[in-house]
Each structure stands twice: as structure tokens, then as C-alpha cells.
Amino acid sequence: MTEPPFFQESYEECRAAFREGCREAGRGELRAEERAIAVPADGDGDLTIDSFFLPAREEPRGLVLITSGVHGIEGFTGSAVQQMFLAEILPHLDRGRTGALLVHGVNPFGFKHCRRVTERNVDLNRNFSSDPGLFSSQNPGYEAFSPLLNPAGPASAGPASLLRFAAGCLRAALKAGIPAFRQATLGGQYTRPQGIFFGGSAPEPQNGPIADLIGDLISGYRNVLFLDLHTGYGTRGVLHLLDLFRDELTRSRIDTLFAGLPVVGRNPGDDFYQVSGDFQQFITHRHAGKCSIIPMTFEFGTADTLGLPGGFASLRTTVLENQMAAYGARTPADEKIIRRRYAELFYPSDPAWRAGVIRQCREVFSVILPRFREQI
């Protein structure tokens, strides 16, 4: 199968393709606006969060907001979806009343270096909050499992380390139960800067500028469809629509727009976990009362994480990658294996998987965008 369009293999190539797509989409549009937010990093002065804003031509009733790369390495797929939107979907929007805002590469450091985290090992999707108390919050369950999740010493991809990790996970699951173990592990922690799912000790440098950019450009719109693009969770090759919101008003808006589509995350059988410092929830709550926001997380499954084998493999790969970032790898061969497995976990090389991403997004857009137009 030939490589589907819109996918590139480096941060710089993705950014260049996104910028070119923005220029094409904005051609002849006098009010089209491109911005770039510089993100500081030691030894790298060319990291940017890029955005493209195309306002409604007449009355600002509805805005489609699409963000990518909150978890850096997941930005490759997010960029492809945004490029497809620019080329194929945006020209057919009701531009009289509908605008679009695309924010590309929210975590450019992780994007460039093929990590989920920032330069300071911070998971941005555990880092957004208007309450400084977030950064002193405790996760006792995580602390109990920290020796398993954050082993010291060079990382090894060999069978001995696999057996040790498997035995540790089995003991943890038997002791706490699988849901409690998942929540303790994935929900976020603020005490171990070198640990996995570290939410930081303060907001990351890009948080304020991103929030201000979005706040500035959505001002005046009554309705905002907010899509945040991710990879990793769920059945391989399947687009999962995740509703992580608990308030009834937001859920009623989601129900109306996504009726008939397989939305997950709200029912006990969905077996999901709660996250603190979530980017999409921060933006949505920040603008509550100012406009009607309909948020949805797009998760493109890569490793069948809903089952125990896939969930275990995903966690082990995450642990090894983080251990390698902190302590290096035992051998060059170990480093190569860990990097390859980590890349496949968040950006599969399979052309069929990539083509499926674009196909499923087209299908979902074909359903929700006409409904959004009717609602505004």
C-alpha cells in the first residue's frame, strides 16, 4: 500500500506542510491570520506552536477549533489530520457564519524529539490549571507503585527486565485491582520530576500564550466545536471519540452533535480514568458562560490498550522510554528497540493504519460539521 498523503516523518516537515496548507487555505482571504508562538528550549531556538485562523465572513456564529501535539510525538498524526482538514474540509464549510482555528504542535519539543513530554519531562495534559494547588497535589497510589513505574539504571529491552516488570504489574493489579492501578498510574503525579506522567511543578512556558491565543481568537463566537487530536488509547486502527466531561450541560451538547457515533468515556463499562490538569478541560472551563463549547477528544488507537496484553505492553514501553531518557540504555541495541517500539506506540508506520486515520476523520467530519452548521 502506498503512503497516504498528509503524513511526514519529522517535526520540521510537519510544520512546513502545515504552514503551506495554511497559505493555500488563506489564499484570497483578506482576514486569514497565521501566528507562531516561540517555545524556549535549551539549545533549540526554532520550536514554535503554529496557528491558522480563518474567521467567518459575515456573522461569527460558529468556530471549529482543532488542536494537535499536546503529547508531542502524537503531533505527527494530529498534523496529518489538520492538513487534511485544511485541504479538503475547510473549503466546504459555511464560511458566512463559521470560522476555523487550527493550533499545530502544542508541545513542539516532544514533537521534534519524539517524546510525549516537554523538555522538563512534563506531560502537558496534566499541566493546565488556573489553580496553583494542582502542583502540590498528591497521588498516593502512584507513590506506592513508583519503584515499578520508575526503575533506576540504564533501560533494557531484554527478557529479564520484561519478566520483572510483568511480575511487578501482576502483584500491583492483584493488590489494588486493575482500575485502581490504572488510575494511580495514568491520572498524573506532581512529586517525581523524572517519573512517568509528571504534571510539573508550575505551568509550562507555552500554557499562557496558548490560552491567550485561543481566548483572543474565539472571542465573539457563540458556539465552538473543540477537537483535540491524540493517539495511543484504544483498539488499533479505530478512532475513539472520548467524552471526558462530567457536567450535564456539556454532555447534552455533545449528545446532540455526536448522536449515533461511538462516544466513549462516560459509562462504567468504558473503563476510563480521570486526569488532572487536562488541556481541553482547562480551555473549556475557562470560557464557560462566554460561549457554548462542544469538546471532543479524538483518540486513534494503536496498540489495543483496552485489553490486558496491549495495556501492559503500552505501559512497559512508556516506562522503558522514560527510564532511557533519565539513565540511558544498557546497549545501543536496547536504545534502538525502545525507540522503535515507542514510535510505533504513538505513530505507527503502517500505511493502512495511517490511511484509516484520514478515512475515519473524513467520515466523522461529514456527520458532525453539517449538524454544527444547523445548531449555530
Side-chain angles (χ1 to χ4, degrees), residues 68-352:
S68 71
V70 171
H71 289 140
I73 190 172
E74 300 175 24
F76 290 100
T77 300
S79 178
V81 173
Q82 289 177 314
Q83 292 173 48
M84 183 273 286
F85 182 88
L86 287 168
E88 300 182 7
I89 307 300
L90 185 58
H92 302 289
L93 282 184
D94 173 13
R95 291 289 318 295
R97 301 187 303 165
T98 308
L101 171 60
L102 279 67
V103 183
H104 180 271
V106 174
N107 173 10
F109 178 88
F111 198 162
K112 180 173 181 176
H113 296 279
C114 294
R115 302 200 70 205
R116 289 178 83 245
V117 295
T118 69
E119 182 184 24
R120 283 159 289 280
N121 198 49
V122 171
D123 183 327
L124 272 186
N125 229 27
R126 312 291 188 276
N127 185 251
F128 277 85
S129 179
S130 57
D131 178 8
L134 172 72
F135 304 106
S136 59
S137 59
Q138 301 293 314
N139 184 345
Y142 183 96
E143 290 302 312
F145 302 128
S146 184
L148 171 67
L149 302 174
N150 303 305
S156 168
S161 85
L162 171 61
L163 290 174
R164 287 194 298 271
F165 187 73
C169 284
L170 179 60
R171 287 193 298 269
L174 290 174
K175 180 179 179 180
I178 292 175
F181 178 58
R182 180 184 293 113
Q183 179 61 46
T185 302
L186 304 177
Q189 58 90 12
Y190 300 88
T191 55
R192 295 183 178 270
Q194 287 189 315
I196 60 172
F197 303 110
F198 175 57
S201 55
E204 285 293 277
Q206 60 259 60
N207 291 18
I210 292 170
D212 290 343
L213 168 78
I214 293 175
D216 178 30
L217 295 178
I218 73 173
S219 177
Y221 284 86
R222 303 177 189 177
N223 303 276
V224 178
L225 172 59
F226 182 7
L227 309 177
D228 191 29
L229 308 175
H230 290 263
T231 63
Y233 169 86
T235 303
R236 182 177 175 85
V238 173
L239 167 56
H240 299 268
L241 304 173
L242 302 186
D243 169 20
L244 306 180
F245 289 77
R246 296 292 175 261
D247 65 278
E248 291 304 317
L249 179 58
T250 301
R251 285 193 162 181
S252 67
R253 293 166 179 161
I254 291 172
D255 287 342
T256 302
L257 193 62
F258 290 86
L261 295 173
V263 176
V264 299
R266 61 173 60 181
N267 301 313
D270 293 338
D271 200 21
F272 212 75
Y273 53 90
Q274 297 297 304
V275 169
S276 55
D278 180 88
F279 165 65
Q280 192 176 43
Q281 293 196 35
F282 171 78
I283 295 295
T284 299
H285 293 151
R286 192 183 198 207
H287 295 279
K290 301 175 185 176
C291 61
S292 171
I293 294 186
I294 306 171
M296 183 60 69
T297 299
F298 280 29
E299 275 275 1
F300 303 97
T302 63
D304 294 321
T305 61
L306 299 181
L308 286 178
F312 168 80
S314 172
L315 180 59
R316 180 172 185 255
T317 299
T318 300
V319 167
L320 285 176
E321 189 275 343
N322 186 70
Q323 182 182 3
M324 187 171 69
Y327 302 103
R330 187 188 62 174
T331 68
D334 285 309
E335 179 179 0
K336 185 176 180 180
I337 292 170
I338 293 169
R339 290 193 186 282
R340 184 184 73 246
R341 289 176 180 171
Y342 193 75
E344 288 294 322
L345 180 59
F346 296 107
Y347 186 40
S349 57
D350 179 11

